[in-house]
Amino acid sequence: LIFIDEASMIPLNAFRALDTMLQDITQNSIPFGGKLIVLAGDFRQTLPVLPKSNIAGILENCIFRSPLYEKAVEHLDLTQNVRADLTETEFKDWLLRLGNGTLRSSHPNSVRGQFDIPPQCCLTSNVVESVFPDFSVDRTKSVIVTPLNDDADRVNERILSVFDRDSPVTEYRSIDTVVEDESNKICQVNTEFLNSLTPSGMPPHHLKLKPGCSVMLIRNLDSSKGLCNGTRLRVVSLGTNVIEVCVISGNDKFTGKHAFIPRVKLIPSDTSLPFKFQRIQFPLKLAYCLTINKSQGQEFETVGIYLPAPVFSHGQLYVAFSRAKRFGSVFVQIDDHSHQCMDNKNQEARTINVVYNFRSRPDL
């Protein structure tokens, strides 16, 4: 029995590759080689990421566009939200309306696509201080989410500067080099330019950490020890060649376990670069603030949603709000923008929700 979680994010070519591989292994032409597969997911959440693609391109890259999806998939609906508190009926119903794109703003000056942030949520002008008011207590179940990597990095640096002010910052610098092969003959690339790059899914050249800070692993290192991409860790000690960490998220079997993280060789998957380069660095990033896409599948006690600009892709706001258990656990900071606004005096805010209209919503 094969389980695949977050199936809504699987690109179509990966779905086809899985089918081809299983047919090849089992030596038959039955879909998926006759193996039973459970696809768990919700198409209200984020879809496959296709850089610089339009809506049609993203939808055509979803697994429900595959003939296999109609021919070999049986739909079983799960209707109970087990993350939200049992008594939070209003919160659960509101989340479904948010995910379906049926919410509309009642403000007379609202624009198309805007909706009102519920008054039960905590609107704030400083989401960092609201979500992390005191680092002397455990904050491993708190997080801030935002749409873009650059904004997440800035918020993380800001939090690190106030975290344990008496503790010095340890900085690790990466070693960046161009990878030369027959298809990559551009070698006259300045090292300083490579250092300035931080492609998606890569650690920064200047990795700044403090003992006790929260970090996230961004590569699969050892699944038998729970060290997988997306696992949140707490730094125990900072060495020259290894960093000792403690697992604080993921499987309960691994929570509290200590591990040592080495420097590894990383190659970005960003195909927009005209050359290939490799970075030798610890596969870690600060985890106080995550991108909305990276937070999918995780659960927190307190969630801060920072929107310097509106979300730009399907399901991002649904994912952001559904990381929490109740309205009162969500802190929202919205910066002024042409498509969103926040009135701290009257405790009112509205922003754009992006939901693509499927002809038939393929719920899993």
Side-chain angles (χ1 to χ4, degrees):
L1 181 62
I2 302 173
F3 283 90
I4 302 178
D5 199 11
E6 306 298 350
S8 64
M9 298 189 72
I10 300 176
L12 185 59
N13 59 349
F15 196 59
R16 290 170 176 163
L18 176 64
D19 175 48
T20 302
M21 180 187 69
L22 291 176
Q23 288 187 30
D24 184 52
I25 291 173
T26 57
Q27 295 294 300
N28 67 57
S29 58
I30 302 174
F32 302 106
K35 299 302 179 183
L36 182 60
I37 298 177
V38 177
L39 300 170
D42 183 359
F43 282 99
R44 294 183 183 91
Q45 298 191 118
T46 55
L47 302 177
V49 177
L50 266 73
K52 301 181 181 179
S53 179
N54 57 18
I55 296 175
I58 294 173
L59 294 180
E60 288 301 317
N61 197 48
C62 293
I63 61 173
F64 59 77
R65 291 293 192 240
S66 169
L68 285 170
Y69 192 84
E70 296 297 330
K71 181 172 65 174
V73 175
E74 179 183 353
H75 299 266
L76 301 174
D77 293 332
L78 302 177
T79 58
Q80 178 64 41
N81 187 331
V82 297
R83 176 177 289 120
D85 288 346
L86 294 176
T87 58
E88 294 291 328
T89 305
E90 184 182 1
F91 180 59
K92 297 175 184 178
D93 294 341
W94 182 85
L95 281 179
L96 290 178
R97 294 174 61 199
L98 178 68
N100 292 333
T102 59
L103 294 174
R104 297 292 181 269
S105 175
S106 60
H107 197 279
N109 296 327
S110 63
V111 299
R112 183 179 178 182
Q114 280 188 339
F115 76 102
D116 299 319
I117 303 297
Q120 302 95 312
C121 292
C122 305
L123 299 181
T124 177
S125 58
N126 192 327
V127 70
V128 172
E129 292 183 357
S130 299
V131 177
F132 300 103
D134 184 6
F135 286 102
S136 62
V137 297
D138 184 20
R139 296 291 173 184
T140 57
K141 290 293 185 179
S142 300
V143 75
I144 298 172
V145 295
T146 191
L148 298 176
N149 274 303
D150 289 345
D151 294 323
D153 292 341
R154 280 193 291 269
V155 173
N156 277 320
E157 290 183 7
R158 178 180 168 189
I159 295 175
L160 185 68
S161 66
V162 299
F163 172 79
D164 193 4
R165 295 179 184 273
D166 297 331
S167 180
V169 174
T170 301
E171 181 178 313
Y172 297 96
R173 298 189 180 187
S174 68
I175 301 174
D176 299 336
T177 54
V178 173
V179 178
E180 296 185 42
D181 55 30
E182 293 182 358
S183 61
N184 186 44
K185 297 182 179 180
I186 301 177
C187 57
Q188 300 300 321
V189 180
N190 190 288
T191 302
E192 286 72 20
F193 174 71
L194 295 178
N195 296 160
S196 68
L197 300 175
T198 309
S200 178
M202 291 281 284
H205 168 62
H206 295 278
L207 179 62
K208 299 178 182 179
L209 302 172
K210 289 182 180 180
C213 68
S214 294
V215 294
M216 179 178 61
L217 193 61
I218 57 176
R219 283 293 186 277
N220 294 324
L221 291 185
D222 190 344
S223 59
S224 65
K225 296 181 180 179
L227 300 178
C228 302
N229 186 6
T231 301
R232 298 176 79 227
L233 313 163
R234 184 178 67 251
V235 173
V236 177
S237 63
L238 298 166
T240 303
N241 299 310
V242 294
I243 296 175
E244 184 182 1
V245 297
C246 175
V247 179
I248 60 176
S249 75
N251 194 318
D252 292 339
K253 180 175 67 174
F254 304 115
T255 302
K257 299 291 185 180
H258 285 232
F260 293 93
I261 307 298
R263 295 178 190 265
V264 297
K265 186 183 296 182
L266 303 159
I267 298 178
S269 57
D270 189 350
T271 57
S272 64
L273 296 173
F275 55 86
K276 296 180 182 178
F277 81 99
Q278 67 180 24
R279 171 165 290 173
I280 300 177
Q281 180 62 289
F282 293 101
L284 301 171
K285 293 188 76 172
L286 289 168
Y288 295 105
C289 184
L290 308 177
T291 61
I292 293 175
N293 287 43
K294 198 68 176 180
S295 70
Q296 185 162 309
Q298 302 189 52
E299 177 183 323
F300 302 95
E301 292 291 339
T302 304
V303 177
I305 301 176
Y306 175 45
L307 299 175
V311 296
F312 58 88
S313 185
H314 169 87
Q316 287 185 319
L317 275 182
Y318 175 73
V319 170
F321 277 94
S322 61
R323 297 311 93 199
K325 299 180 178 181
R326 63 190 74 84
F327 280 122
S329 300
V330 182
F331 293 84
V332 182
Q333 178 183 343
I334 293 178
D335 294 349
D336 285 335
H337 189 273
S338 58
H339 291 91
Q340 65 180 20
C341 62
M342 181 168 172
D343 184 351
N344 288 315
K345 182 179 179 180
N346 297 317
Q347 286 294 289
E348 295 177 350
R350 60 185 185 274
T351 187
I352 294 287
N353 183 28
V354 179
V355 176
Y356 301 157
N357 293 319
F358 304 152
R359 291 183 178 178
S360 58
R361 183 171 296 279
D363 297 322
L364 286 180

